[in-house]
Amino acid sequence: MSVTPFAAELIETARAICAPGKGILAADESTGTIAKRFSSIGVENTESNRRKYRQLLFTTPHIEEHISGVIFYEETLYQATDDGTPFVQVLKSKGIIPGIKVDKGVKPLAGTTNETVTQGIDDLDARCAKYYAQGARFAKWRAVLNINDTLGATPSPVSIIENANTLARYASICQANGLVPIVEPEVLMDGDFPIEVAAAATERVLAAVYKALSDHHVLLEGTLLKPNMVRSGSDASVSASADEIALATVRVLQHTVPCAVPGITFLSGGMSEEEASLALNAINHAPGPRPWSLTFSYGRALQQSCLKAWKGSDENIVEAQNVLLARARANGLANLGQYTGGAGGESANQSTFVKGYVY
C-alpha cells in the first residue's frame, strides 16, 4: 500500500467522483483532435474558439447535477471565462472536481506489429505538482492496446506488460503529488472479431494492470479505472446487444478488478451517444456482484450533439447547453440503472466511431 501523505485526500476525491448519478465529462481533446471536431461544424481551430466552446460546456446550468468531474487538456486548465473567472474556479463553485490529461500520446513499440506504448513519464512528477497547484485533483493517462487477430496473439505480452507497468508508474507518481490517477488501458474495438475475443483480451490486459499496480504499491482506494466496454469488433458481422455487452464487461471486471477500487468510469469507444447510455444502463443491471460504482467518463458520447447544436454561434449556446444537459442526465440515470432510452432523438444515434482513435 502507498504511504503518500495525500492518502486521505485521494480516497475522498475518488469517492466524490463516484457520487451516485454522476460521472465524468472528458473535455481533454488535444488541439489536433478538436480541430477535426471543429472542422465538422465549420469552426476555425483557434485558442479563442476552443476557450469559448469549453466555456459553453463548463457553464451549462445544472450540469453539476450529473457531472462530478471534468478532464481538462493542459491549455484549458489555465483558461478563464469571458469575465476572467478561471475555469477551475467555475467548476469548483459547482462542486465539480477538475482533472487533467497528463500523457503525451503513443509511440510505436519496437518489435511488435503496430502496437504502441504511451509517452510522458520523464517529467510527470514536476507536471503533476504544477497541475495540483493550479487546482487539478485527478489525472488521466491512456494506454492503447490492439486486437489484430482472433487467436489471442494480440495484444502481445510485450505490449500488455509495457503498458501495464507504465500505467502503474504513472499512478504512483500521481498519488505522490496529490492527484487521483484514472487508469485507462483501452483495448480498441477496431477489427473483425466476436465479443468473446474482446473479453479474453480485455481480461488479460486488466489482470496485468492490477498486478503492476500492486507491484508499484499504488493505493487502489485512491484510483479509478477507465476501461473499454467489452464489445464485438467494429467490423464484425454480428454486433453484440447492450445486454450482451453488459454481461461480458461485468464478468471481466469481476475476474480482475479488486473491490478496493471505488469506481469504474467507462470510455465510450466510438459508440453513439444513445448506445453508450443504454450499454451503461445495462451494465448496472448485470448479474452478480458489482462492488464498484459503474459510471461514465465520456467525451464524444457527451459532446457530439452539443457541438453540432452550437455550430460556433453565440446564438446557439443555450440550445447546445440544453443538449449537453440532456445527455449528461441520461448517463447519470444510466449509472443508477434508471435510463429507459430516447434522450437526444435521432442525433444521439449517430456513431462517434473513429478507427484507431487518438486524443
Side-chain angles (χ1 to χ4, degrees), residues 299-341:
R300 289 169 285 173
L302 271 172
Q303 297 183 52
Q304 180 164 276
S305 293
C306 170
L307 190 67
K308 290 179 178 178
W310 175 52
K311 300 175 184 175
S313 172
D314 289 351
E315 296 178 355
N316 297 328
I317 287 176
V318 172
E319 179 185 354
Q321 290 179 328
N322 288 337
V323 169
L324 174 65
L325 183 64
R327 199 74 253 157
R329 181 183 299 115
N331 289 307
L333 288 170
N335 166 249
L336 300 173
Q338 298 173 5
Y339 182 60
T340 56

Short mmCIF file of all heavy atoms in Angstrom, two decimals, residues 299-341:
data_model
loop_
_atom_site.label_atom_id
_atom_site.label_comp_id
_atom_site.label_asym_id
_atom_site.label_seq_id
_atom_site.Cartn_x
_atom_site.Cartn_y
_atom_site.Cartn_z
N GLY A 299 -16.41 11.48 -23.68
CA GLY A 299 -16.07 12.68 -24.43
C GLY A 299 -17.02 12.84 -25.60
O GLY A 299 -18.00 13.59 -25.55
N ARG A 300 -16.76 12.07 -26.66
CA ARG A 300 -17.61 12.12 -27.85
C ARG A 300 -19.07 11.80 -27.52
O ARG A 300 -19.99 12.42 -28.08
CB ARG A 300 -17.09 11.13 -28.90
CG ARG A 300 -15.78 11.53 -29.54
CD ARG A 300 -15.19 10.39 -30.36
NE ARG A 300 -14.60 9.35 -29.50
CZ ARG A 300 -14.15 8.18 -29.94
NH1 ARG A 300 -14.24 7.88 -31.23
NH2 ARG A 300 -13.61 7.31 -29.11
N ALA A 301 -19.30 10.83 -26.64
CA ALA A 301 -20.66 10.41 -26.33
C ALA A 301 -21.42 11.39 -25.43
O ALA A 301 -22.59 11.18 -25.14
CB ALA A 301 -20.66 9.02 -25.70
N LEU A 302 -20.77 12.44 -25.00
CA LEU A 302 -21.45 13.54 -24.31
C LEU A 302 -21.50 14.79 -25.17
O LEU A 302 -22.43 15.60 -25.04
CB LEU A 302 -20.73 13.87 -22.99
CG LEU A 302 -21.16 13.12 -21.74
CD1 LEU A 302 -20.21 13.42 -20.59
CD2 LEU A 302 -22.58 13.48 -21.34
N GLN A 303 -20.54 14.96 -26.06
CA GLN A 303 -20.37 16.25 -26.73
C GLN A 303 -20.83 16.31 -28.18
O GLN A 303 -21.01 17.41 -28.72
CB GLN A 303 -18.90 16.66 -26.70
CG GLN A 303 -18.32 16.90 -25.32
CD GLN A 303 -16.88 17.35 -25.42
OE1 GLN A 303 -16.55 18.30 -26.13
NE2 GLN A 303 -16.00 16.67 -24.73
N GLN A 304 -20.99 15.17 -28.86
CA GLN A 304 -21.19 15.23 -30.31
C GLN A 304 -22.42 16.05 -30.70
O GLN A 304 -22.33 16.95 -31.54
CB GLN A 304 -21.30 13.82 -30.89
CG GLN A 304 -21.50 13.80 -32.40
CD GLN A 304 -21.23 12.45 -33.02
OE1 GLN A 304 -20.08 12.12 -33.31
NE2 GLN A 304 -22.26 11.65 -33.21
N SER A 305 -23.56 15.78 -30.10
CA SER A 305 -24.78 16.52 -30.44
C SER A 305 -24.71 17.96 -29.96
O SER A 305 -25.23 18.87 -30.61
CB SER A 305 -26.01 15.83 -29.85
OG SER A 305 -26.23 14.58 -30.46
N CYS A 306 -24.07 18.17 -28.82
CA CYS A 306 -23.87 19.52 -28.29
C CYS A 306 -23.07 20.37 -29.27
O CYS A 306 -23.43 21.52 -29.56
CB CYS A 306 -23.17 19.43 -26.94
SG CYS A 306 -22.59 20.99 -26.26
N LEU A 307 -21.99 19.80 -29.78
CA LEU A 307 -21.13 20.52 -30.72
C LEU A 307 -21.90 20.89 -31.98
O LEU A 307 -21.80 22.02 -32.49
CB LEU A 307 -19.92 19.65 -31.06
CG LEU A 307 -18.77 20.28 -31.83
CD1 LEU A 307 -18.07 21.34 -30.98
CD2 LEU A 307 -17.78 19.21 -32.27
N LYS A 308 -22.70 19.96 -32.48
CA LYS A 308 -23.48 20.22 -33.69
C LYS A 308 -24.56 21.27 -33.45
O LYS A 308 -24.89 22.04 -34.36
CB LYS A 308 -24.10 18.92 -34.20
CG LYS A 308 -23.09 17.94 -34.76
CD LYS A 308 -23.76 16.66 -35.23
CE LYS A 308 -22.72 15.71 -35.83
NZ LYS A 308 -23.35 14.43 -36.26
N ALA A 309 -25.09 21.31 -32.26
CA ALA A 309 -26.10 22.31 -31.93
C ALA A 309 -25.48 23.70 -31.82
O ALA A 309 -26.09 24.70 -32.19
CB ALA A 309 -26.80 21.95 -30.62
N TRP A 310 -24.24 23.76 -31.33
CA TRP A 310 -23.55 25.06 -31.15
C TRP A 310 -23.18 25.69 -32.48
O TRP A 310 -23.45 26.86 -32.74
CB TRP A 310 -22.32 24.85 -30.29
CG TRP A 310 -21.46 26.06 -30.13
CD1 TRP A 310 -21.85 27.31 -29.73
CD2 TRP A 310 -20.04 26.14 -30.35
NE1 TRP A 310 -20.77 28.17 -29.68
CE2 TRP A 310 -19.65 27.47 -30.06
CE3 TRP A 310 -19.07 25.23 -30.75
CZ2 TRP A 310 -18.33 27.90 -30.19
CZ3 TRP A 310 -17.76 25.64 -30.86
CH2 TRP A 310 -17.39 26.98 -30.58
N LYS A 311 -22.49 24.95 -33.33
CA LYS A 311 -22.08 25.42 -34.66
C LYS A 311 -21.22 26.67 -34.61
O LYS A 311 -21.12 27.43 -35.59
CB LYS A 311 -23.30 25.68 -35.54
CG LYS A 311 -24.17 24.47 -35.78
CD LYS A 311 -25.42 24.82 -36.56
CE LYS A 311 -26.34 23.62 -36.70
NZ LYS A 311 -27.63 23.98 -37.35
N GLY A 312 -20.62 26.95 -33.45
CA GLY A 312 -19.74 28.09 -33.33
C GLY A 312 -20.43 29.42 -33.14
O GLY A 312 -19.78 30.47 -33.11
N SER A 313 -21.74 29.40 -32.96
CA SER A 313 -22.51 30.65 -32.88
C SER A 313 -22.98 30.92 -31.45
O SER A 313 -23.53 30.03 -30.79
CB SER A 313 -23.73 30.58 -33.80
OG SER A 313 -24.59 31.68 -33.60
N ASP A 314 -22.79 32.16 -31.00
CA ASP A 314 -23.26 32.54 -29.67
C ASP A 314 -24.77 32.39 -29.55
O ASP A 314 -25.29 32.14 -28.45
CB ASP A 314 -22.87 34.00 -29.37
CG ASP A 314 -21.38 34.16 -29.15
OD1 ASP A 314 -20.67 33.13 -29.05
OD2 ASP A 314 -20.91 35.32 -29.09
N GLU A 315 -25.47 32.54 -30.66
CA GLU A 315 -26.93 32.43 -30.63
C GLU A 315 -27.39 31.02 -30.27
O GLU A 315 -28.54 30.84 -29.83
CB GLU A 315 -27.51 32.82 -31.99
CG GLU A 315 -27.27 34.28 -32.38
CD GLU A 315 -27.82 34.60 -33.76
OE1 GLU A 315 -28.29 33.65 -34.45
OE2 GLU A 315 -27.78 35.77 -34.16
N ASN A 316 -26.51 30.06 -30.44
CA ASN A 316 -26.89 28.67 -30.20
C ASN A 316 -26.39 28.12 -28.86
O ASN A 316 -26.55 26.93 -28.59
CB ASN A 316 -26.34 27.79 -31.32
CG ASN A 316 -26.91 28.15 -32.67
OD1 ASN A 316 -28.06 28.57 -32.78
ND2 ASN A 316 -26.11 27.96 -33.72
N ILE A 317 -25.80 28.97 -28.03
CA ILE A 317 -25.20 28.49 -26.79
C ILE A 317 -26.23 27.83 -25.88
O ILE A 317 -26.01 26.72 -25.37
CB ILE A 317 -24.47 29.64 -26.06
CG1 ILE A 317 -23.17 29.99 -26.80
CG2 ILE A 317 -24.16 29.24 -24.61
CD1 ILE A 317 -22.42 31.18 -26.21
N VAL A 318 -27.35 28.47 -25.67
CA VAL A 318 -28.36 27.91 -24.77
C VAL A 318 -28.87 26.58 -25.29
O VAL A 318 -29.02 25.61 -24.53
CB VAL A 318 -29.52 28.91 -24.57
CG1 VAL A 318 -30.66 28.25 -23.79
CG2 VAL A 318 -29.04 30.15 -23.83
N GLU A 319 -29.13 26.50 -26.59
CA GLU A 319 -29.60 25.24 -27.18
C GLU A 319 -28.55 24.14 -26.99
O GLU A 319 -28.88 23.00 -26.62
CB GLU A 319 -29.90 25.42 -28.66
CG GLU A 319 -30.37 24.14 -29.34
CD GLU A 319 -30.55 24.29 -30.85
OE1 GLU A 319 -30.43 25.41 -31.35
OE2 GLU A 319 -30.80 23.26 -31.50
N ALA A 320 -27.29 24.48 -27.25
CA ALA A 320 -26.21 23.49 -27.11
C ALA A 320 -26.09 23.04 -25.67
O ALA A 320 -25.86 21.84 -25.39
CB ALA A 320 -24.90 24.08 -27.61
N GLN A 321 -26.21 23.95 -24.73
CA GLN A 321 -26.13 23.58 -23.31
C GLN A 321 -27.29 22.68 -22.91
O GLN A 321 -27.10 21.74 -22.12
CB GLN A 321 -26.10 24.85 -22.45
CG GLN A 321 -24.80 25.62 -22.56
CD GLN A 321 -24.79 26.88 -21.71
OE1 GLN A 321 -25.84 27.52 -21.50
NE2 GLN A 321 -23.63 27.25 -21.21
N ASN A 322 -28.47 22.93 -23.46
CA ASN A 322 -29.62 22.06 -23.16
C ASN A 322 -29.39 20.65 -23.69
O ASN A 322 -29.77 19.65 -23.04
CB ASN A 322 -30.89 22.65 -23.77
CG ASN A 322 -31.37 23.89 -23.04
OD1 ASN A 322 -31.05 24.09 -21.87
ND2 ASN A 322 -32.14 24.74 -23.71
N VAL A 323 -28.77 20.56 -24.87
CA VAL A 323 -28.46 19.25 -25.45
C VAL A 323 -27.46 18.51 -24.56
O VAL A 323 -27.60 17.32 -24.27
CB VAL A 323 -27.91 19.41 -26.88
CG1 VAL A 323 -27.34 18.09 -27.40
CG2 VAL A 323 -29.01 19.92 -27.81
N LEU A 324 -26.42 19.23 -24.12
CA LEU A 324 -25.42 18.63 -23.24
C LEU A 324 -26.05 18.16 -21.94
O LEU A 324 -25.78 17.05 -21.46
CB LEU A 324 -24.30 19.63 -22.95
CG LEU A 324 -23.26 19.19 -21.92
CD1 LEU A 324 -22.46 17.98 -22.43
CD2 LEU A 324 -22.30 20.34 -21.58
N LEU A 325 -26.90 18.99 -21.36
CA LEU A 325 -27.53 18.63 -20.09
C LEU A 325 -28.40 17.39 -20.23
O LEU A 325 -28.40 16.51 -19.35
CB LEU A 325 -28.37 19.81 -19.58
CG LEU A 325 -29.03 19.61 -18.21
CD1 LEU A 325 -27.98 19.45 -17.12
CD2 LEU A 325 -29.96 20.79 -17.89
N ALA A 326 -29.13 17.29 -21.34
CA ALA A 326 -29.98 16.12 -21.56
C ALA A 326 -29.15 14.84 -21.65
O ALA A 326 -29.53 13.80 -21.11
CB ALA A 326 -30.81 16.31 -22.83
N ARG A 327 -28.00 14.94 -22.32
CA ARG A 327 -27.14 13.77 -22.46
C ARG A 327 -26.50 13.40 -21.12
O ARG A 327 -26.39 12.22 -20.77
CB ARG A 327 -26.06 14.05 -23.49
CG ARG A 327 -25.40 12.83 -24.05
CD ARG A 327 -26.31 12.10 -25.01
NE ARG A 327 -26.85 10.87 -24.49
CZ ARG A 327 -27.96 10.30 -24.93
NH1 ARG A 327 -28.67 10.86 -25.89
NH2 ARG A 327 -28.38 9.17 -24.42
N ALA A 328 -26.06 14.42 -20.38
CA ALA A 328 -25.48 14.16 -19.06
C ALA A 328 -26.51 13.54 -18.13
O ALA A 328 -26.20 12.60 -17.37
CB ALA A 328 -24.94 15.46 -18.46
N ARG A 329 -27.74 14.02 -18.21
CA ARG A 329 -28.80 13.46 -17.37
C ARG A 329 -29.05 12.00 -17.74
O ARG A 329 -29.23 11.14 -16.85
CB ARG A 329 -30.09 14.27 -17.54
CG ARG A 329 -31.25 13.76 -16.67
CD ARG A 329 -32.54 14.53 -16.91
NE ARG A 329 -32.38 15.94 -16.60
CZ ARG A 329 -32.47 16.93 -17.49
NH1 ARG A 329 -32.68 16.65 -18.78
NH2 ARG A 329 -32.33 18.18 -17.13
N ALA A 330 -29.05 11.69 -19.02
CA ALA A 330 -29.26 10.31 -19.46
C ALA A 330 -28.20 9.39 -18.88
O ALA A 330 -28.50 8.28 -18.40
CB ALA A 330 -29.25 10.25 -20.99
N ASN A 331 -26.95 9.83 -18.90
CA ASN A 331 -25.87 8.99 -18.38
C ASN A 331 -25.90 8.90 -16.86
O ASN A 331 -25.54 7.86 -16.28
CB ASN A 331 -24.53 9.51 -18.89
CG ASN A 331 -24.35 9.23 -20.36
OD1 ASN A 331 -24.49 8.10 -20.80
ND2 ASN A 331 -24.06 10.25 -21.14
N GLY A 332 -26.32 9.98 -16.20
CA GLY A 332 -26.49 9.92 -14.76
C GLY A 332 -27.55 8.90 -14.37
O GLY A 332 -27.38 8.12 -13.42
N LEU A 333 -28.64 8.87 -15.12
CA LEU A 333 -29.68 7.87 -14.87
C LEU A 333 -29.17 6.47 -15.17
O LEU A 333 -29.50 5.50 -14.46
CB LEU A 333 -30.91 8.18 -15.74
CG LEU A 333 -31.74 9.40 -15.33
CD1 LEU A 333 -32.77 9.72 -16.39
CD2 LEU A 333 -32.41 9.18 -13.98
N ALA A 334 -28.33 6.34 -16.22
CA ALA A 334 -27.77 5.03 -16.57
C ALA A 334 -26.89 4.49 -15.44
O ALA A 334 -26.88 3.29 -15.17
CB ALA A 334 -26.98 5.13 -17.86
N ASN A 335 -26.16 5.38 -14.78
CA ASN A 335 -25.36 4.97 -13.62
C ASN A 335 -26.24 4.39 -12.52
O ASN A 335 -25.83 3.48 -11.79
CB ASN A 335 -24.56 6.16 -13.09
CG ASN A 335 -23.97 5.91 -11.71
OD1 ASN A 335 -24.40 6.51 -10.74
ND2 ASN A 335 -23.00 5.01 -11.63
N LEU A 336 -27.45 4.89 -12.41
CA LEU A 336 -28.40 4.40 -11.40
C LEU A 336 -29.23 3.23 -11.91
O LEU A 336 -30.05 2.69 -11.16
CB LEU A 336 -29.33 5.55 -10.99
CG LEU A 336 -28.67 6.79 -10.39
CD1 LEU A 336 -29.70 7.90 -10.19
CD2 LEU A 336 -27.97 6.46 -9.08
N GLY A 337 -29.03 2.85 -13.19
CA GLY A 337 -29.83 1.79 -13.78
C GLY A 337 -31.26 2.21 -14.06
O GLY A 337 -32.17 1.37 -14.11
N GLN A 338 -31.46 3.52 -14.32
CA GLN A 338 -32.82 4.04 -14.48
C GLN A 338 -33.07 4.68 -15.85
O GLN A 338 -34.09 5.32 -16.06
CB GLN A 338 -33.11 5.08 -13.38
CG GLN A 338 -33.05 4.52 -11.98
CD GLN A 338 -33.18 5.60 -10.91
OE1 GLN A 338 -33.40 6.79 -11.21
NE2 GLN A 338 -33.02 5.21 -9.65
N TYR A 339 -32.12 4.52 -16.79
CA TYR A 339 -32.30 5.14 -18.11
C TYR A 339 -33.11 4.23 -19.01
O TYR A 339 -32.76 3.07 -19.22
CB TYR A 339 -30.94 5.45 -18.75
CG TYR A 339 -31.07 6.13 -20.09
CD1 TYR A 339 -31.70 7.37 -20.19
CD2 TYR A 339 -30.58 5.54 -21.25
CE1 TYR A 339 -31.84 8.00 -21.42
CE2 TYR A 339 -30.70 6.17 -22.49
CZ TYR A 339 -31.33 7.40 -22.56
OH TYR A 339 -31.48 8.03 -23.78
N THR A 340 -34.19 4.76 -19.57
CA THR A 340 -35.08 3.97 -20.42
C THR A 340 -34.93 4.27 -21.90
O THR A 340 -35.61 3.65 -22.73
CB THR A 340 -36.55 4.19 -20.00
OG1 THR A 340 -36.85 5.59 -20.06
CG2 THR A 340 -36.78 3.68 -18.59
N GLY A 341 -34.04 5.21 -22.24
CA GLY A 341 -33.79 5.49 -23.65
C GLY A 341 -34.55 6.69 -24.17
O GLY A 341 -35.47 7.21 -23.53
#
